[in-house]
Amino acid sequence: GDTYDIVQVEGIEMAQYARHAAGRAPVVFDDHNCEYLLQQRNALNDLRVPRRWHAAGYSLVQWQKLRRYEAQVCREAAAVVAVSGPDRAALWRLVPEAAITVIPNGIDLAAYPPAEPDPADSSPTLLFTGKMDYRPNIDAALWFGRAVLPLILARRPDVRWQIVGLNPHPRLDVLRRLPQVEITGAVDDVRPYLAAAAVYIIPMRVGGGTRFKALEAMAAAKPIVSTSLGVEGLPVADGRELLLADSPLEFAAAILRLLDDRAQDGSLGRSLGAAARRLVADRYTWETILPALEQLYTTLRPVHPTLPQAKGVQP
């Protein structure tokens, strides 16, 4: 069969196949999320809501299973890649001896040109994107719809909210009944929705990793309001690249601030968007990220037997 110099495993779901594919080649485990931490946060979040205790129980069991399995995968890999500093720290708590390198998610900056919403659109749109059967995204949408959106509509009844992403979960049906909410399901391209949005929101209360949704909105230079967890691992600051808010009142106030700014001269939104796009250009383009991955590869030496050299050719 084929002999590989390095085998890279993308995500914990593929880790079970590493031994079969690698042979004696070193394995790089790319942990897209610190999975045990994600289940831990799911469990603790659901425990606060009695009607979600059944889900909390499931996550408690998965949390313990994943702690053991994720630790085993990290120990067996020649190198581990985490997408953020907090994820690396969480993995080190499991496996202090593991060789873990932070290489964040990347984005094609040119594919997300900045675009201003149509000024003739009198009803500003808030946008949330993501795979909508993913528990952290479901939780984020329900929290925003129940706790934050009513506060915004009390002052701005003209506001609309779009939830864009495939496989909307039945738990989101309660939001479909609101006339201000549109749940699109899968779309061919998220960029037209980004272009039309007045404010991009990241109301995450659960999760981990580096959120591609945040990088997309930042690359598109959108005004963003996020929870602290929603941009965990990204070197952003409140009032510089985006507005941070962790309570319903703060989240609603931040959105209303951006909508008021938009109705005036839009200077705050443009300043935040420009700074966010600069950060992506400096830290999260493929031109920046791929050399870091290549550098990691150079530290790994294949352990399979050296192939025979043709006579007269120097190794």
Side-chain angles (χ1 to χ4, degrees), residues 45-302:
N45 188 58
D46 284 336
L47 278 172
R48 294 182 291 188
V49 183
R51 66 177 179 273
R52 295 292 299 162
W53 282 353
H54 66 288
Y58 169 82
S59 290
L60 285 168
V61 173
Q62 293 300 106
W63 167 15
Q64 297 307 315
K65 288 182 177 179
L66 281 167
R67 284 185 81 255
R68 295 190 294 272
Y69 183 61
E70 201 161 7
Q72 177 187 341
V73 173
C74 289
R75 287 192 191 98
E76 292 180 354
V80 178
V81 172
V83 297
S84 71
D87 271 20
R88 176 173 61 181
L91 291 173
W92 266 336
R93 289 196 292 272
L94 282 185
V95 192
E97 71 274 18
I100 306 174
T101 302
V102 173
I103 300 178
N105 291 326
I107 195 166
D108 179 3
L109 191 68
Y112 294 87
E116 293 286 335
D118 184 353
D121 185 0
S122 59
S123 299
T125 300
L126 313 178
L127 178 65
F128 178 60
T129 62
K131 191 170 180 286
M132 293 314 302
D133 59 355
Y134 180 53
R135 280 176 66 188
N137 288 339
I138 298 168
D139 175 82
L142 291 174
W143 177 76
F144 182 81
R146 290 167 172 164
V148 182
L149 187 61
L151 302 176
I152 297 169
L153 294 176
R155 253 205 53 194
R156 292 292 302 267
D158 59 326
V159 166
R160 297 176 299 165
W161 179 29
Q162 285 184 325
I163 303 171
V164 176
L166 55 82
N167 298 337
H169 194 276
R171 289 178 63 200
L172 301 177
D173 287 347
V174 66
L175 301 176
R176 292 184 188 274
R177 305 187 191 110
L178 302 175
Q180 301 88 354
V181 177
E182 178 188 3
I183 301 178
T184 67
V187 298
D188 292 334
D189 190 345
V190 74
R191 289 172 294 183
Y193 295 88
L194 277 172
V199 179
Y200 187 86
I201 62 169
I202 313 176
M204 308 296 291
R205 303 189 305 161
V206 184
T210 301
R211 307 193 194 291
F212 190 72
K213 58 168 62 74
L215 295 181
E216 285 184 316
M218 291 168 67
K222 302 307 299 184
I224 299 170
V225 178
S226 176
T227 59
S228 300
L229 188 64
V231 287
E232 183 183 49
L234 296 174
V236 296
D238 180 35
R240 189 177 66 197
E241 291 89 5
L242 75 176
L243 300 182
L244 292 175
D246 288 308
S247 73
L249 279 173
E250 292 169 341
F251 212 100
I255 290 173
L256 290 168
R257 180 184 173 191
L258 287 171
L259 294 180
D260 289 343
D261 166 73
R262 178 175 179 260
Q264 296 167 9
D265 62 1
S267 59
L268 174 60
R270 284 194 299 273
S271 173
L272 295 174
R277 184 172 169 87
R278 280 196 302 272
L279 178 61
V280 173
D282 291 342
R283 303 278 293 267
Y284 297 100
T285 62
W286 292 119
E287 291 81 4
T288 301
I289 291 169
L290 289 180
L293 190 58
E294 290 174 350
Q295 184 177 8
L296 172 63
Y297 287 166
T298 64
T299 68
L300 303 175
R301 298 194 177 277

Side-chain angles (χ1 to χ4, degrees), residues 7-20 22 25-36 64-82 91-92 94-100:
V7 171
Q8 180 152 326
V9 176
E10 294 295 320
I12 201 166
E13 296 85 357
M14 300 300 294
Q16 61 183 312
Y17 305 110
R19 291 177 182 150
H20 304 292
V27 171
V28 176
F29 172 46
D30 189 354
D31 202 1
H32 294 175
N33 288 289
C34 182
E35 297 293 341
Y36 90 88
Q64 297 307 315
K65 288 182 177 179
L66 281 167
R67 284 185 81 255
R68 295 190 294 272
Y69 183 61
E70 201 161 7
Q72 177 187 341
V73 173
C74 289
R75 287 192 191 98
E76 292 180 354
V80 178
V81 172
L91 291 173
W92 266 336
L94 282 185
V95 192
E97 71 274 18
I100 306 174

